[in-house]
Every structure is written in structure tokens, then in C-alpha cells.
Amino acid sequence: MASRLHQKIAFKDGKPQCEKMCVVLSSPVGRIEISGCGTGVHEIQLQGNVLPSSGTMESLVSCEVCEAPEEMTAPLKQCVAWLQAYFCEPWMIEKLTMPPFHHPLLEQASFTREVLWTLLRDVKFGEAVSYKQLADLAGNSKAARAVGGAMRSNPVPIIIPCHRVICSSGQTGNYTGGSHLKEWLLSHERLQKEKLAY
């Protein structure tokens, strides 16, 4: 078990090796596996098994660490705290430090990187934007299809909220974790935003 939670890896471009660690959370949307190193979060993988609720989303929501190395890096601790706040105390996420990311897609200049950072910066909790609107925000109004590709390649879903990007028709559209998961995340945010408005 320890070897899966803690291992050395190298990026393909020959950069120095990272000491990769993994943390697994049990959340309302199933297992979430976070991998990262001392520099930042590499990936968040969603298993897509939305847990059944007892009628409403108001039921007790928890997000607990179920597997982790003995000592977590600061970026992993920040990521865990951010995800726990997202599910359990969403009003706190604006006050928390965003974990740093350490993934080539988010470090190298590209349209995909621009789209993902624009989404993170401009589309807030409880909001939604169409693929075309996000293309406009990222500076290329004709790139709605490329925005879809950027959403599919997002290495850190939920934190970079690709679930908030929907079709112009209002339909939720595709999602790496499945449309049921995307609908759950959008409903969770809508419900929490309504609660905060009162």
C-alpha cells in the first residue's frame, strides 16, 4: 500500500523526478484520488460513483481521507482542505489557499492552459458558462470545440471547475466523471448558493 501512495516519478521531458504521493478521499461523489508532490498537485481522479442520498442533498455531507501517506506535502494538504470545504463548507473555499498545481498542461503556454486558468479565475461557485462563452472569455470566440477538448484534458476537476461548462442549450453536456456526476456537482453548488443567499 505504501508504494502506491508514495513513489518517485519523472516527467516525459526529462525534468527532475518528483516524489509523488497519493491521497484518497471518500466523498459524496465517491472516491477521489489526488496525486501530487512537494511542488504541487498533479491530478485529481474522480471515480464517478455518486453516493445515493436519502431523498435530498440536504442530508449530511462528508469528505474524509481514507488513504494517505504518513506525511503529506503542503500542496496535498491544501488540496484535501479545499475539497473538504467544497463539499462540506463551500462558503470557506474563497478563504482557503488554492493548492499549487504541478502538471505540464497547466505549466506550458497553450490555448488549453488559457481556457483552464480563465475558467478557474472567472466562473465562480454556483455559476455556469457555455463552451462558447468560455471561448470568448479565453480570447477566441470561434474555439468552442477546443474548449470542450480543454475540459476533457483538465487534470484537476472540481478545483478547475470544468463541470460548470454547459451547452448553449442549457443541457449539461459531457463530463469525464459522467453526466450524473456533473449534474450532482451543479445541483450541489446551486443549493449551497441559495442557502448562502438567505
Side-chain angles (χ1 to χ4, degrees), residues 80-196:
V80 167
W82 196 97
L83 288 169
Q84 288 174 325
Y86 175 86
F87 289 111
C88 304
E89 302 173 300
W91 57 91
M92 293 294 297
I93 59 176
E94 292 292 324
K95 298 175 183 170
L96 292 174
T97 302
M98 180 72 60
F101 305 123
H102 189 217
H103 189 284
L105 189 66
L106 299 170
E107 295 173 342
Q108 300 164 358
S110 67
F111 181 69
T112 295
R113 176 182 178 235
E114 184 62 31
V115 167
L116 294 173
W117 284 115
T118 300
L119 176 61
L120 177 63
R121 182 186 65 237
D122 295 347
V123 184
K124 303 300 181 198
F125 188 93
E127 297 176 353
V129 64
S130 73
Y131 293 93
K132 183 179 179 346
Q133 289 170 322
L134 184 53
D136 287 341
L137 289 171
N140 188 344
S141 61
K142 297 184 189 308
R145 289 178 68 103
V147 166
M151 297 304 98
R152 282 188 300 280
S153 61
N154 179 7
V156 286
I158 300 179
I159 294 182
I160 296 183
C162 50
H163 60 278
R164 295 181 191 152
V165 183
I166 61 173
C167 299
S168 296
S169 66
Q171 293 181 317
T172 56
N174 295 327
Y175 189 63
T176 302
S179 60
H180 190 63
L181 176 54
K182 185 173 187 174
E183 290 166 9
W184 191 96
L185 293 168
L186 290 168
S187 294
H188 168 70
E189 291 188 11
R190 222 176 4 260
L191 177 67
Q192 296 302 321
K193 192 172 181 182
E194 288 170 8
K195 285 169 67 174
L196 289 175

